[in-house]
Amino acid sequence: MGNREIVLEQVRRAYAARDRGALDDLMAEFHSEAVFTLAGDEGCEGVAGSACGVPHLKERMAQLIDTFQFRERRVLTELVEGDRVAVHSRVTVRCAPKNIEQETEILDLFRLRDGKIIELIEFADTAVAAKMLA
């Protein structure tokens, strides 16, 4: 298996864990010094922002999993360049507190180190998320 396939398998394991709401399995894919950023308007409380290190990252991921459940993910594009991966997906998201679903697109930028995700920047439509929470 080439480096591209190894890196994509790592990302796909993280996606599978996120999609099924398996927090511990998701966290196993992250480096102990990982940084997660959900890019967007930071005025969109509970949606945009960053988390650094396992304790904060785990808390943030638990919050996102509890609030926004991914019902279906269709990967549209996967690009790999060394230790970096870009994935463009279309997802059906269920906002648990409101019990509503919305289809939207997400762009994830990963950086890996030592076989783990050290950085994930997720670009999502925070306006859709805010609307779902309103």
Side-chain angles (χ1 to χ4, degrees):
M1 191 181 315
N3 185 57
R4 181 180 196 281
E5 292 77 21
I6 292 169
V7 169
L8 284 174
E9 182 57 33
Q10 173 87 36
V11 168
R12 289 173 184 151
R13 281 194 310 269
Y15 278 151
R18 169 61 174 101
D19 293 352
R20 68 179 188 275
L23 181 61
D24 289 335
D25 291 345
L26 176 59
M27 294 310 302
E29 302 303 327
F30 282 90
H31 191 281
S32 62
E33 299 171 7
V35 176
F36 168 72
T37 301
L38 182 53
D41 180 1
E42 291 194 16
C44 192
E45 275 191 49
V47 181
S50 294
C52 304
V54 171
H56 300 289
L57 183 62
K58 187 172 185 175
E59 180 181 326
R60 180 71 171 127
M61 289 298 178
Q63 176 191 29
L64 288 171
I65 287 170
D66 288 345
T67 305
F68 298 106
Q69 299 159 350
F70 290 178
R71 295 291 197 194
E72 181 181 352
R73 178 189 302 270
R74 290 180 305 285
V75 173
L76 305 174
T77 306
E78 296 172 317
L79 302 172
V80 178
E81 178 79 24
D83 66 346
R84 297 188 181 265
V85 179
V87 180
H88 176 206
S89 302
R90 183 169 293 124
V91 296
T92 301
V93 179
R94 177 181 172 270
C95 178
K98 301 289 183 162
N99 195 29
I100 56 175
E101 288 188 1
Q102 174 80 41
E103 187 173 88
T104 190
E105 293 185 16
I106 296 174
L107 175 66
D108 290 320
L109 301 177
F110 294 87
R111 188 167 53 93
L112 285 84
R113 180 190 302 158
D114 303 326
K116 299 285 185 176
I117 300 165
I118 187 74
E119 181 180 38
L120 169 54
I121 303 170
E122 186 166 275
F123 295 88
D125 191 336
T126 55
V128 166
K131 181 178 144 187
M132 291 176 82
L133 287 170

